[in-house]
Amino acid sequence: MSWKYLLFDLDGTLTDSSEGILNCVIYALEAAGIEVPDREKLLQFVGPPLIEGFQDIIGMDHAAAVQATVKYRERYGVIGLFENKPYDGIALALSRLKSQGKVIALATSKPESYAVRILQHFNLMKYFDVAVGASMDESRNNKTAVIKEALRRLGISEDDKEQVLMIGDRRHDIRGAKDCGIVSLGVYYGFAEIGELEKAGADYIAWSVDDMVTIAGAAESQAESKDSDGESLSEMKYQRVDLEQAVEHLKKLIRQQEQAQSGAEQLKIHQEYYRLSDLVSTMYALAMFRHSIDTTDQYYDQEMSYYDEQLPDFELWDMKYHEALYHSPYRGELEKVIGKVAFKNIELQMKSTSPELVELQQEENKLVNEYEKLLASAEFLWNGDTISMAELGKYQTDPDQAIRQKAWTLLQDFLQTNGETLDRIYDELVHNRTEQARKAGYENFVELGYYRMQRNCYDHSQMEQFRKWIKEYWVPLASEVQDRRRRRLGLETLHIYDNGLYYKEGNPAPEGTPQQILQNGLKMYRELSAETAEFMEQMVRREMFDVLSHPGKKQGGYMEFLPLPRMPLIFANFNGTSGDVDVITHECGHAFQGYLAGKDDIREHWDITMETAETHSMSMEFFTNPWMELFFGEAAPEFRQMQLEDAICFIPYGCMVDEFQQIIYEYPELTPDQRHEVWRRLEKQYRPHLNMEGMPFFEKGGFWQRQHHIYSTPFYYIDYCLAQICALQYKLMMEQDYERAWKSYLKLCRMSASGFFTDMIRDVGLLNPLEEECIQQLIQQLSGE
């Protein structure tokens, strides 16, 4: 059975609240002058409604029970509710269930205000879509009434009840579920007596938190799921790869390749390399993904530290293995199978990897991890709630300028407070990467950085020319769009805290819960094409998403491909803005192409360059435009206009990020203050419309420190600009002939990395964004939009 909605009891199911409950019962009994019974009898108070407990367990009449309840709450509301602790593994269990797309609600007999405070205190509230408890006026004072209210708030119809599971530790939970016509799961790690849950009629029994997750997270039967559709993401077992053994395996494969007597023999050996590489890549991706979900999780933090330390050596021997293929006397035979592009990429890999760089790369990994953890640690107090940086983004585009300014000020304060650390990390990264470049024989990191990015069909001199065209031709177009936005907002000038707001009444926001957004995504892709239908059904069925934002979660979003199951996964931070839908379009564009590529047995064809990858994702944002009413309702036209304007205005910003990095790495001796000045100077060239007045940290040129690509993946940003040029071409093409545009796009996706970017876009009917004619022609067409 598969359940979409999970209702959780609190006491004895999520938390061990016995200490607080017992102490408050004792307090109430002593106030009433009643002898306190033994602990075993007192434990019966955990679970049922209080008035019922005082009547059934102590023998009070109703009036006395009501008075005892008032006295109980006198202590509980101040002290007792925090004499409490979550069961071991509960936070991870909720995270796993949430990552599967479950809608989770609290249904407790405890007063709702107390229950919410407890969840917030233990940082569990982030997992719950709805929290329902008893009412203080006793109008909702039993489990059946609480469950009915939870179903009402979730909007669950009679037909939907078969998708609901109630999880609790006492007979009251089971009986309440039966009264409401839903299935129940009784847990024995709480306070139930043996046999209590079966006698009450529990449909399922769990003896541990792990058992509970296995049952609650079941998709069909486990056997059916694994046999027909493959494991879900949460079911995929992670196991650390012994990279020292993996290196020894690579050494053996190198010897075998060097001794091979034919191309056919080498290709057979290469299949064994695929198996090793698939294992390493999959386990690393799972560790990275689970660490991204919770950067405070010590286990996966240690796993990432292990890979940061060990992967550079493995990558060195991986390069030596490919070097053996590169110098093979049978290279012609190999190229016929794995392609010429693969050998160009091997050449770039050889230019960017050497034994002398391993220690520096290990240190680089640690610095990047330190930066990512610093951003993930950001917490902001907003109207009494603690929110993450991603959640703050919602308020940065609020229609109320005062709220926007407050949100941007909080972000500025975080960056400024951590300014010295951010400067120190980046300074160490710049000097580390510069030393790598010089040890590898390059003047500076720019050339090495391009090799690391596998720029296999253009160089940085072409990027410089591209940026000049953007300054000359594109910035004026973007400035016109920005001025149109300013007039629409009724502002005299666009401040930094007006950045990203497109309409006076607020940007279009998606309708519905995260689960509904995913379900609408499934409907959209089912209608778009047979290929996208198959892809999205697998993504949803196997729960390959983690999209809910919470403190401790890594910022941003990404798609990662898992070679062993040949499935993509998507990581994101929903925050109630249009960016949530971008996940279903942009990241799913990456994932769709990855899903198609996974059908190709030649792994080298999976290794697409970043501008190609971003063309897949950014183009999908436009191909899905006809379905935006599913997400935005009547505001869909405004969303489409905002999307186009944002695409146009992004390109100068992306070029600015690229030019900033080129300057920094060409002049690594610049001080942190000088780097900030470089950014501010570039902002005036690429974003002349933006007023930083009143924001001293941004005014001095500090905005770039929140752009994690600059720290984590140098020179990975101009790719978005090239891709956006291609995506805009597809937008214009589909307006003339959607079917022709889709066939072209599908062809590009299936080509994967079988060709060079500049050749492939020509083959599918697009102009090369590295040519002046393309930029000028596109601007002319867009000016009429």
Side-chain angles (χ1 to χ4, degrees):
M1 184 61 194
S2 175
W3 295 284
K4 176 180 177 181
Y5 304 95
L6 303 179
L7 308 187
F8 278 91
D9 174 47
L10 181 59
D11 298 332
T13 303
L14 298 175
T15 67
D16 179 355
S17 54
S18 57
E19 180 184 355
I21 291 175
L22 268 56
N23 288 341
C24 293
V25 170
I26 292 169
Y27 178 80
L29 293 177
E30 288 177 343
I34 296 174
E35 183 179 349
V36 177
D38 60 31
R39 177 179 172 81
E40 185 174 346
K41 190 170 185 178
L42 286 175
L43 281 172
Q44 296 177 42
F45 274 91
V46 182
L50 277 173
I51 291 178
E52 183 180 324
F54 282 117
Q55 289 177 299
D56 295 348
I57 301 167
I58 303 300
M60 291 180 170
D61 60 29
H62 181 74
V66 169
Q67 188 60 39
T69 298
V70 171
K71 205 66 183 173
Y72 172 102
R73 289 174 178 167
E74 182 180 290
R75 182 184 188 278
Y76 191 83
V78 179
I79 301 171
L81 77 168
F82 299 129
E83 293 174 328
N84 196 352
K85 61 181 179 180
Y87 286 108
D88 289 344
I90 277 294
L92 178 60
L94 292 170
S95 177
R96 287 175 60 191
L97 292 169
K98 204 66 186 171
S99 71
Q100 297 173 21
K102 305 294 186 185
V103 177
I104 300 180
L106 186 73
T108 175
S109 296
K110 187 181 295 299
E112 188 170 309
S113 60
Y114 292 164
V116 169
R117 287 171 64 190
I118 290 168
L119 292 179
Q120 290 173 337
H121 180 72
F122 293 117
N123 199 26
L124 299 177
M125 191 66 200
K126 62 193 178 187
Y127 301 115
F128 288 83
D129 297 275
V130 167
V132 180
S135 57
M136 297 293 274
D137 63 3
E138 303 300 330
S139 62
R140 188 169 63 246
N141 64 354
N142 60 63
K143 203 52 173 258
T144 300
V146 168
I147 293 174
K148 284 182 178 178
E149 177 63 12
L151 297 178
R152 186 192 69 78
R153 291 192 199 177
L154 290 170
I156 294 172
S157 66
E158 286 295 322
D159 292 340
D160 292 334
K161 282 186 176 181
E162 64 182 17
Q163 300 181 64
V164 183
L165 177 67
M166 175 68 211
I167 304 166
D169 73 310
R170 298 304 304 271
R171 61 185 180 276
H172 312 83
D173 302 308
I174 308 306
R175 290 172 182 168
K178 285 193 172 299
D179 290 344
C180 295
I182 62 175
V183 176
S184 61
L185 164 59
V187 299
Y188 269 120
Y189 55 80
F191 298 102
E193 296 178 358
I194 299 300
E196 175 184 335
L197 299 172
E198 293 90 341
K199 186 177 179 180
D203 297 288
Y204 297 88
I205 296 293
W207 293 89
S208 67
V209 172
D210 284 345
D211 288 345
M212 179 270 290
V213 173
T214 299
I215 297 168
E220 320 308 327
S221 72
Q222 289 187 12
E224 287 175 1
S225 176
K226 289 178 181 177
D227 289 345
S228 62
D229 300 319
E231 292 179 308
S232 69
L233 182 56
S234 62
E235 292 174 322
M236 293 178 191
K237 183 179 178 182
Y238 167 75
Q239 185 172 354
R240 176 188 284 190
V241 178
D242 186 330
L243 288 175
E244 289 185 0
Q245 287 187 9
V247 166
E248 292 305 312
H249 197 164
L250 279 174
K251 290 177 180 177
K252 182 191 78 172
L253 293 177
I254 292 169
R255 290 194 296 270
Q256 290 176 346
Q257 289 288 14
E258 291 173 342
Q259 296 166 7
Q261 299 300 306
S262 68
E265 186 181 349
Q266 283 198 295
L267 288 170
K268 185 177 181 180
I269 297 165
H270 199 47
Q271 292 297 317
E272 188 174 346
Y273 166 78
Y274 282 163
R275 287 189 286 273
L276 173 64
S277 177
D278 286 356
L279 175 65
V280 173
S281 298
T282 300
M283 292 303 127
Y284 173 70
L286 282 175
M288 180 180 70
F289 174 70
R290 290 171 181 167
H291 179 254
S292 297
I293 292 172
D294 183 2
T295 58
T296 66
D297 185 312
Q298 291 187 357
Y299 176 76
Y300 284 108
D301 188 52
Q302 291 171 356
E303 291 305 286
M304 289 309 297
S305 294
Y306 167 76
Y307 288 114
D308 286 346
E309 183 72 27
Q310 298 293 327
L311 263 181
D313 191 48
F314 175 83
E315 290 168 346
L316 172 67
W317 285 97
D318 185 84
M319 182 274 293
K320 290 183 178 181
Y321 170 82
H322 284 95
E323 190 174 359
L325 295 182
Y326 188 83
H327 295 297
S328 167
Y330 313 108
R331 177 168 160 176
E333 294 178 55
L334 301 180
E335 283 190 355
K336 289 178 183 178
V337 177
I338 64 178
K340 291 185 176 182
V341 175
F343 283 91
K344 179 62 178 180
N345 290 341
I346 292 172
E347 178 186 327
L348 298 180
Q349 186 183 15
M350 290 162 55
K351 289 181 175 181
S352 61
T353 311
S354 75
E356 293 78 18
L357 306 186
V358 171
E359 287 188 13
L360 287 169
Q361 289 169 343
Q362 291 170 337
E363 181 60 32
E364 179 188 7
N365 290 341
K366 290 177 183 177
L367 289 167
V368 169
N369 192 35
E370 182 184 359
Y371 170 77
E372 297 285 4
K373 287 176 69 176
L374 177 60
L375 286 196
S377 72
E379 294 183 356
F380 306 94
L381 189 62
W382 191 275
N383 294 338
D385 293 328
T386 300
I387 61 175
S388 67
M389 190 180 292
E391 292 167 312
L392 184 68
K394 178 179 181 179
Y395 302 104
Q396 290 177 271
T397 56
D398 192 274
D400 186 331
Q401 191 179 62
I403 292 176
R404 295 199 302 276
Q405 189 170 1
K406 176 184 174 183
W408 277 92
T409 299
L410 285 175
L411 174 63
Q412 173 184 250
D413 291 348
F414 172 80
L415 295 172
Q416 195 156 9
T417 299
N418 294 280
E420 288 187 9
T421 302
L422 290 166
D423 283 337
R424 189 262 305 162
I425 293 172
Y426 193 63
D427 192 62
E428 291 182 21
L429 281 170
V430 169
H431 286 94
N432 174 292
R433 290 164 178 160
T434 299
E435 187 176 352
Q436 287 187 51
R438 289 172 179 167
K439 280 193 172 185
Y442 306 113
E443 181 181 356
N444 57 51
F445 181 72
V446 175
E447 190 171 3
L448 177 60
Y450 267 60
Y451 292 151
R452 282 176 31 163
M453 285 300 300
Q454 286 194 342
R455 300 272 161 76
N456 57 23
C457 58
Y458 55 87
D459 59 27
H460 61 84
S461 65
Q462 289 170 281
M463 283 297 94
E464 287 182 34
Q465 183 59 62
F466 175 77
R467 294 195 308 259
K468 287 179 182 177
W469 292 331
I470 296 302
K471 284 181 186 178
E472 183 178 354
Y473 305 129
W474 203 279
V475 169
L477 172 65
S479 295
E480 284 180 24
V481 172
Q482 295 287 7
D483 194 57
R484 187 188 315 156
R485 182 171 70 90
R486 178 192 62 76
R487 294 195 304 271
R488 192 162 59 228
L489 294 175
L491 299 173
E492 291 185 6
T493 184
L494 290 172
H495 287 87
I496 182 67
Y497 43 81
D498 302 316
N499 204 35
L501 180 68
Y502 286 83
Y503 299 98
K504 245 183 182 179
E505 62 277 15
N507 292 343
E511 301 172 350
T513 64
Q515 184 64 24
Q516 289 169 329
I517 290 173
L518 292 174
Q519 287 300 316
N520 283 333
L522 176 58
K523 175 178 172 61
M524 174 178 72
Y525 284 116
R526 278 175 171 164
E527 294 176 3
L528 201 163
S529 77
E531 294 84 0
T532 55
E534 176 190 316
F535 149 72
M536 195 61 172
E537 285 170 2
Q538 283 289 321
M539 291 290 289
V540 172
R541 187 178 294 120
R542 299 178 70 173
E543 299 160 347
M544 304 300 290
F545 296 90
D546 188 283
V547 299
L548 297 178
S549 179
H550 54 79
K553 188 174 183 179
K554 183 179 176 181
Q555 298 301 299
Y558 59 78
M559 184 283 290
E560 190 69 35
F561 187 77
L562 301 177
L564 286 180
R566 297 202 184 189
M567 281 295 296
L569 63 81
I570 289 178
F571 170 90
N573 282 273
F574 275 16
N575 62 1
T577 69
S578 61
D580 298 352
V581 177
D582 291 342
V583 173
I584 305 302
T585 58
H586 181 101
E587 297 301 340
C588 280
H590 285 305
F592 173 62
Q593 193 283 325
Y595 181 77
L596 292 179
K599 298 174 182 291
D600 188 340
D601 288 333
I602 306 302
R603 307 298 196 274
E604 286 77 9
H605 292 174
W606 301 356
D607 192 19
I608 56 177
T609 50
M610 289 302 100
E611 72 288 308
T612 307
E614 299 304 340
T615 298
H616 301 144
S617 60
M618 289 175 146
S619 299
M620 185 64 87
E621 294 179 38
F622 291 124
F623 277 109
T624 52
N625 268 185
W627 288 269
M628 287 302 102
E629 276 75 8
L630 287 174
F631 304 98
F632 298 99
E634 293 180 355
E638 286 79 9
F639 168 77
R640 284 187 279 263
Q641 181 64 29
M642 178 180 76
Q643 181 190 55
L644 175 60
E645 291 183 3
D646 185 63
I648 291 170
C649 294
F650 168 79
I651 291 174
Y653 175 76
C655 288
M656 178 173 67
V657 170
D658 190 67
E659 185 169 350
F660 173 75
Q661 293 184 90
Q662 180 161 338
I663 292 170
I664 297 306
Y665 287 111
E666 285 180 344
Y667 301 96
E669 70 281 358
L670 291 176
T671 66
D673 286 344
Q674 288 172 324
R675 291 181 188 128
H676 288 297
E677 178 54 38
V678 168
W679 179 266
R680 189 69 190 107
R681 187 174 70 247
L682 291 173
E683 277 188 320
K684 292 176 181 177
Q685 297 173 28
Y686 285 103
R687 302 202 291 181
H689 67 280
L690 209 52
N691 186 339
M692 301 290 182
E693 186 179 341
M695 289 284 178
F697 183 79
F698 297 126
E699 196 169 8
K700 77 165 188 176
F703 186 90
W704 62 274
Q705 293 191 302
R706 63 163 300 189
Q707 187 64 62
H708 72 90
H709 301 76
I710 293 175
Y711 283 77
S712 307
T713 321
F715 294 109
Y716 178 14
Y717 217 70
I718 197 75
D719 314 78
Y720 290 112
C721 300
L722 299 177
Q724 192 69 275
I725 298 292
C726 294
L728 287 167
Q729 290 184 72
Y730 268 131
K731 180 189 187 308
L732 295 170
M733 187 190 300
M734 70 182 75
E735 288 175 355
Q736 298 299 316
D737 188 338
Y738 188 95
E739 185 177 354
R740 179 173 74 89
W742 177 253
K743 287 181 178 178
S744 167
Y745 174 79
L746 195 58
K747 179 181 178 181
L748 180 66
C749 288
R750 285 176 167 151
M751 292 170 80
S752 295
S754 60
F756 295 104
F757 169 71
T758 49
D759 294 336
M760 291 191 297
I761 57 172
R762 182 193 62 238
D763 291 346
V764 299
L766 299 179
L767 296 177
N768 184 351
L770 293 170
E771 295 176 358
E772 187 174 14
E773 177 191 2
C774 173
I775 306 299
Q776 291 177 323
Q777 184 173 319
L778 190 56
I779 288 174
Q780 184 178 3
Q781 292 173 297
L782 289 171
S783 296
E785 286 285 303

